[in-house]
Amino acid sequence: MGEIIMENNQYIMGIETSCDETAVAIVKNGREIIANVVASQIESHKRFGGVVPEIASRHHVEQMTLVIEEAIKQAEMDFSQIDAIAVTEGPGLVGALLIGVNAAKALAFAHNIPLIGVHHIAGHIYANRLVTEMKFPLLSLVVSGGHTELVYMKEHGHFEVIGETRDDAAGEAYDKVARTLNLPYPGGPHIDRLAHEGTPNINLPRAWLEEGSYDFSFSGLKSAVINAVHNAEQRGEVIAPEDLAASFQESVIEVLTKKTLLAVKEYEVKQVLLAGGVAANKGLRTTLEQVFNELEDVELVIPPLSLCTDNAAMIAAAGSILFEKGIKSSMALNANPGLDIAIHN
Amino acid sequence: MKILAIDTSNYVLGVSVIDGEKVIGEYITNINKNHSVRVMPAIEALLKDVDVKPSDLTKIVVAEGPGSYTGVRIGVTIAKTLAWTLNIPLVGVSSLKVVSATVGRYFNGVVSPLFDARRGQIYTGLYEYSAGQIKTVIQDKLILSKDWVQELIERDKQILFVGNDLPLHRSVIEEVLGERARFAEITELNPRPSELALLGKDLEGVDIHHFTPNYIRLAEAEAKWIEENKNKC
Ligand SMILES: [Zn+2]
């Protein structure tokens, strides 16, 4: 057979700068990663104990074109082969989002290709489509530093938030508990690691909220952890950090898993997708795998670690669906730090 | 030779295209409205009106600051990305120099441009024309306006003040410098993007990837961190 040039393929460039990662990727047909570049600023923010917005914005300006160039080089492509530029328009840090949005606009304008604004959480959910095809209806458990949500999808591009946190996001609770235990920033991975070395022998609350609610609340749990440490200190005792981490993690995972399971049954979904940075948590992954192993007609999808944390391949994957639907943004696209996923259809 | 100039460093949004020796298009607004929403549509509309395609551009000139951190970053991000992806040179010019260049050209004396930087502070510098070229006399910096006028008191030349934030500092200036201080008219206070293009026209392109805004100031968290850690080693 001679060389057949198939030009039916779709190539989307994704750009993501909503927090402290400058990321650019190229995805083929919404499913296949051709290039995926992430420049992390985490080392720079560590000394401040968290992400400093102004410093994040400054880093994005420094990294943006370098990261775009690296992605184009990795893909061995040029812009004449790119069908659209998809970019995170929100939610996130406004100053950080603005860098990606304006770089995306400049690229789309320079090459006269469509610009597509993408919701960051839609991106996290679509990271799963880089692993396996989505089967509707589905449920996505989104857990990250800024979000804890159960999102129901009856078809592509349709998002219904059926439960969300009323106070802290799960990731936030992890960071705060890590600070109480004097663990370095970011604390999540440290708690996860400690939890595996300890025993969950400390009694901590689980916030189930009202009957039938899929909402979450983690601030009570966080306070209970802080109190447990203080009370022990006053009694002159020391709680083993491993045991506290294990007890805290058990509470978070139990609530996340049980609520997901209830929603899976009520909404009769075919698939459960784990999404967001906390999806990198080993304890959560293992528990979900155990629970869903027993359910025959529900498929659990957990993306590899590199696709759970912020990246641009997920933005390109989500943008691919909008591109197919003919949804485009104009040159007036703005960064929207409080963007709502439900109206983003 | 078609140069696109972009200035979003303060409330003024400016875009221009010069073609050889001719300013073929210029767009300026001076309102407190979102640059991120408006600047790309402004570039798109202006280029369309003057029949210039992005691929026709031969150079990008951007106002590099000082000014609003977010504002400067929007212009610089667009300028860097356009220059890199169109494979054309990028040049940055001081935002203070731009606003000085037009008023200073036929003025016999020095020009002190200023942008308000809150709490009595200003971003300023000192500029002067010599042999038809604008020269930097004092580098752009951040200073209290009351300290700045003291610094200028020794100069024997007339000083022309320019910038949209003049009303906030005019009395401090007049009090100390009296008759030696001159103030630009309101029609001269907006930096002209065509002037920006002209200032960058003959300058050599910079390293696009490593070009950064001139913030003048460190990020607050960084300054604090350095302050807290300067006695440690
Ligand atoms: Zn994220």
Side-chain angles (χ1 to χ4, degrees):
Chain A
M1 293 244 305
E3 199 181 340
I4 300 166
I5 300 168
M6 289 283 291
E7 274 310 327
N8 292 328
N9 287 321
Q10 173 219 69
Y11 294 93
I12 308 283
M13 173 177 275
I15 298 183
E16 151 67 37
T17 62
S18 67
C19 192
D20 61 343
E21 328 270 2
T22 316
V24 179
I26 295 167
V27 168
K28 181 179 172 183
N29 300 328
R31 302 274 323 268
E32 189 186 327
I33 295 173
I34 305 298
N36 191 15
V37 184
V38 180
S40 174
Q41 309 173 359
I42 198 141
E43 286 306 319
S44 172
H45 295 282
K46 263 184 184 164
R47 62 191 160 132
F48 304 112
V51 177
V52 178
E54 174 60 24
I55 289 171
S57 304
R58 290 186 180 199
H59 281 300
H60 285 308
V61 181
E62 286 162 23
Q63 294 297 318
M64 195 72 258
T65 56
L66 281 165
V67 178
I68 300 168
E69 181 173 85
E70 182 59 29
I72 282 283
K73 276 188 185 160
Q74 260 188 22
E76 296 176 0
M77 292 176 79
D78 61 58
F79 281 94
S80 67
Q81 297 160 282
I82 304 287
D83 293 294
I85 311 284
V87 63
T88 307
E89 61 173 309
L93 301 170
V94 66
L97 289 164
L98 280 172
I99 306 306
V101 165
N102 282 286
K105 287 204 254 188
L107 290 175
F109 174 69
H111 303 290
N112 195 24
I113 49 180
L115 172 74
I116 301 168
V118 171
H119 192 284
H120 183 76
I121 297 304
H124 273 303
I125 295 171
Y126 271 88
N128 284 281
R129 199 166 178 239
L130 299 164
V131 179
T132 186
E133 189 52 278
M134 289 165 143
K135 296 187 191 90
F136 299 102
L138 64 79
L139 185 73
S140 183
L141 172 63
V142 183
V143 252
S144 71
H147 298 267
T148 307
E149 287 168 8
L150 276 168
V151 181
Y152 172 74
M153 291 179 72
K154 64 173 189 219
E155 63 194 20
H156 276 305
H158 171 276
F159 306 94
E160 188 186 336
V161 178
I162 61 166
E164 62 194 325
T165 183
R166 293 185 185 168
D167 38 62
D168 293 348
E172 248 176 306
Y174 266 90
D175 283 342
K176 286 175 185 167
V177 168
R179 230 170 287 157
T180 307
L181 294 176
N182 290 317
L183 298 170
Y185 170 87
H190 292 287
I191 301 229
D192 192 20
R193 179 179 46 80
L194 279 181
H196 287 271
E197 298 163 7
T199 317
N201 53 12
I202 298 152
N203 202 9
L204 293 172
R206 275 104 175 108
W208 299 112
L209 305 172
E210 333 61 88
E211 172 97 31
S213 170
Y214 294 117
D215 281 353
F216 301 97
S217 166
F218 294 106
S219 71
L221 172 62
K222 173 197 70 191
S223 308
V225 170
I226 295 170
N227 286 342
V229 172
H230 283 206
N231 293 344
E233 269 171 13
Q234 275 175 348
R235 289 194 303 266
E237 300 166 11
V238 181
I239 299 182
E242 296 83 6
D243 294 344
L244 193 62
S247 309
F248 165 76
Q249 173 137 314
E250 189 187 65
S251 169
V252 173
I253 292 174
E254 188 182 324
V255 173
L256 290 175
T257 308
K258 285 201 174 152
K259 293 220 174 200
T260 304
L261 208 50
L262 283 173
V264 161
K265 286 178 181 152
E266 185 185 335
Y267 287 83
E268 297 176 340
V269 299
K270 298 196 175 110
Q271 224 177 19
V272 172
L273 313 178
L274 188 57
V278 182
N281 183 291
K282 266 202 227 107
L284 180 60
R285 295 166 89 98
T286 319
T287 310
L288 284 173
E289 272 161 8
Q290 282 164 0
V291 168
F292 282 93
N293 241 338
E294 291 161 19
L295 292 181
E296 274 181 12
D297 36 10
V298 185
E299 181 191 9
L300 173 72
V301 186
I302 300 181
L305 299 187
S306 63
L307 293 176
C308 291
T309 47
D310 288 351
N311 65 87
M314 69 186 202
I315 301 303
S320 164
I321 297 297
L322 298 172
F323 181 73
E324 274 170 26
K325 291 185 171 199
I327 297 170
K328 291 180 221 169
S329 305
S330 77
M331 279 295 137
L333 178 71
N334 196 12
N336 187 344
L339 189 67
D340 185 349
I341 194 169
I343 54 162
H344 190 79
N345 293 327
Chain B
M1 192 208 61
K2 295 182 174 70
I3 301 176
L4 171 68
I6 306 165
D7 186 353
T8 57
S9 42
N10 289 284
Y11 284 160
V12 174
L13 186 161
V15 180
S16 78
V17 183
I18 66 171
D19 183 1
E21 296 300 311
K22 206 165 155 189
V23 177
I24 60 171
E26 189 160 22
Y27 176 80
I28 305 174
T29 59
N30 177 29
I31 45 175
N32 179 11
K33 225 170 155 185
N34 199 317
H35 285 334
S36 172
V37 171
R38 296 170 60 236
V39 64
M40 278 310 300
I43 293 171
E44 190 177 37
L46 183 65
L47 290 194
K48 194 167 179 246
D49 278 353
V50 300
D51 292 320
V52 172
K53 292 193 292 293
S55 55
D56 297 333
L57 295 171
T58 56
K59 191 181 217 172
I60 309 284
V61 186
V62 67
E64 67 184 15
S68 137
Y69 295 164
T70 300
V72 175
R73 272 196 290 270
I74 290 168
V76 167
T77 300
I78 291 170
K80 284 179 75 166
T81 310
L82 282 178
W84 172 77
T85 202
L86 295 169
N87 198 18
I88 55 176
L90 169 71
V91 167
V93 174
S94 154
S95 305
L96 288 164
K97 191 183 209 170
V98 181
V99 72
S100 309
T102 314
V103 288
R105 187 166 279 113
Y106 306 108
F107 178 70
N108 187 17
V110 290
V111 182
S112 171
L114 66 85
F115 303 143
D116 183 61
R118 296 198 197 126
R119 290 184 291 250
Q121 302 176 103
I122 51 172
Y123 292 116
T124 190
L126 206 63
Y127 293 90
E128 184 173 24
Y129 268 85
S130 100
Q133 295 292 316
I134 187 164
K135 299 272 153 54
T136 308
V137 182
I138 297 177
Q139 287 289 343
D140 295 352
K141 60 174 163 187
L142 177 75
I143 188 170
L144 286 165
S145 57
K146 65 177 174 60
D147 292 345
W148 178 239
V149 288
Q150 291 302 328
E151 202 175 320
L152 296 177
I153 212 160
E154 301 298 319
R155 300 203 169 252
D156 47 12
K157 288 182 181 159
Q158 289 255 307
I159 305 157
L160 176 58
F161 289 86
V162 61
N164 278 307
D165 299 325
L166 271 185
L168 294 171
H169 300 276
R170 187 166 177 149
S171 61
V172 176
I173 297 165
E174 272 177 330
E175 202 176 299
V176 175
L177 297 172
E179 292 290 292
R180 303 226 330 278
R182 301 274 304 275
F183 297 91
E185 192 43 76
I186 59 161
T187 51
E188 299 155 341
L189 300 184
N190 291 334
R192 296 195 57 165
S194 54
E195 193 75 66
L196 172 63
L198 185 64
L199 286 169
K201 185 170 165 256
D202 297 322
L203 295 178
E204 212 174 295
V206 297
D207 172 353
I208 296 172
H209 287 315
H210 297 102
F211 179 76
T212 53
N214 179 18
Y215 299 104
I216 302 224
R217 264 195 278 210
L218 287 173
E220 212 175 303
E222 180 127 48
K224 228 172 104 191
W225 187 86
I226 291 170
E227 184 62 31
E228 285 166 5
N229 289 274
K230 72 179 172 191
N231 295 323
K232 302 174 191 168
C233 55

